Amino acid sequence: MTTRAVAEGPATVRAVSDATDPAAGAAGEGIARFVEDVGLFFEASGLPRAAGRMLGWLLVCEPEHQSADDLARGLRASSGGVSQSARLLVQAGYIERVGISGDRRVYHRIREHAWTRILDEQQAMMARLREIAEHGLDLLEGASPPRRERLAEMREVFSFLEREMPVLVRRYHEARGD
């Protein structure tokens, strides 16, 4: 796990809990709802809701880097829950740990190019799943077509994605001018 340094100094964090303050208005309520929506989405995808909420907050917070205390306060979460969610999100590749010169605390932020990096990692998983399907088909050589059909479909899907995903990612970078 790498900790990167950033040049900015510590800054005050506007908490999600403050976003529901009547003085914060509709924009604050919208951000709080956004954070919850991200949490619910990632919960449905297999991550804990708390990790999804943290990811949602890190997508919209100012400054972009948040300490564990900032995250706990902003998300109204325990320090243990923040630590566990941060560890999970770092491991999954969504966020990174960063340091600030002159500050001993560790901060977290969305990892640069997180989404395309995650797609790159998923491409490797797709190739591995295709290989697994091919191995299974080799083992079932001579078996009835219905028995082989599930593995054949698996191989076809992951072969297709293995070919097409790099093309889509390249087109995305071209469209951005990267």
Side-chain angles (χ1 to χ4, degrees):
M1 184 178 335
T2 303
T3 301
R4 293 180 46 191
V6 294
E8 303 99 13
T12 305
V13 177
R14 178 168 170 195
V16 171
S17 57
D18 294 343
T20 56
D21 181 333
E29 292 172 18
I31 287 178
R33 183 74 248 152
F34 173 83
V35 168
E36 291 302 322
D37 287 346
V38 175
L40 290 168
F41 173 84
F42 279 94
E43 180 181 46
S45 301
L47 277 176
R49 184 187 303 183
R53 290 181 73 242
M54 181 184 291
L55 186 60
W57 177 247
L58 287 170
L59 285 167
V60 297
C61 67
E62 184 64 39
E64 70 174 0
H65 55 276
Q66 304 281 289
S67 71
D69 289 341
D70 297 334
L71 290 164
R73 187 173 43 257
L75 295 169
R76 292 187 174 178
S78 70
S79 59
V82 165
S83 177
Q84 183 179 14
S85 292
R87 210 172 15 258
L88 183 63
L89 291 172
V90 166
Q91 185 177 16
Y94 291 105
I95 69 172
E96 63 184 355
R97 296 166 44 99
V98 295
I100 296 176
S101 181
D103 188 342
R104 295 186 337 180
R105 292 178 291 181
V106 171
Y107 292 82
H108 294 89
R109 69 177 176 194
I110 299 294
R111 186 172 83 165
E112 190 174 342
H113 306 296
W115 309 108
T116 53
R117 287 180 181 185
I118 288 167
L119 287 175
D120 291 342
E121 292 162 7
Q122 288 180 344
Q123 288 177 52
M125 287 177 27
M126 288 182 258
R128 181 66 185 125
L129 286 168
R130 178 199 38 81
E131 291 168 359
I132 289 169
E134 287 174 351
H135 177 69
L137 284 167
D138 289 344
L139 292 173
L140 294 181
E141 190 170 331
S144 68
R147 188 170 176 200
R148 294 174 49 88
E149 192 171 304
R150 295 181 301 260
L151 284 170
E153 180 184 8
M154 180 181 170
R155 180 191 58 201
E156 289 169 16
V157 165
F158 289 109
S159 291
F160 175 82
L161 291 172
E162 190 178 7
R163 282 189 316 272
E164 297 299 321
M165 188 66 72
V167 174
L168 289 174
V169 171
R170 188 185 75 243
R171 287 181 52 210
Y172 167 76
H173 285 293
E174 288 171 357
R176 282 183 45 108
D178 295 345

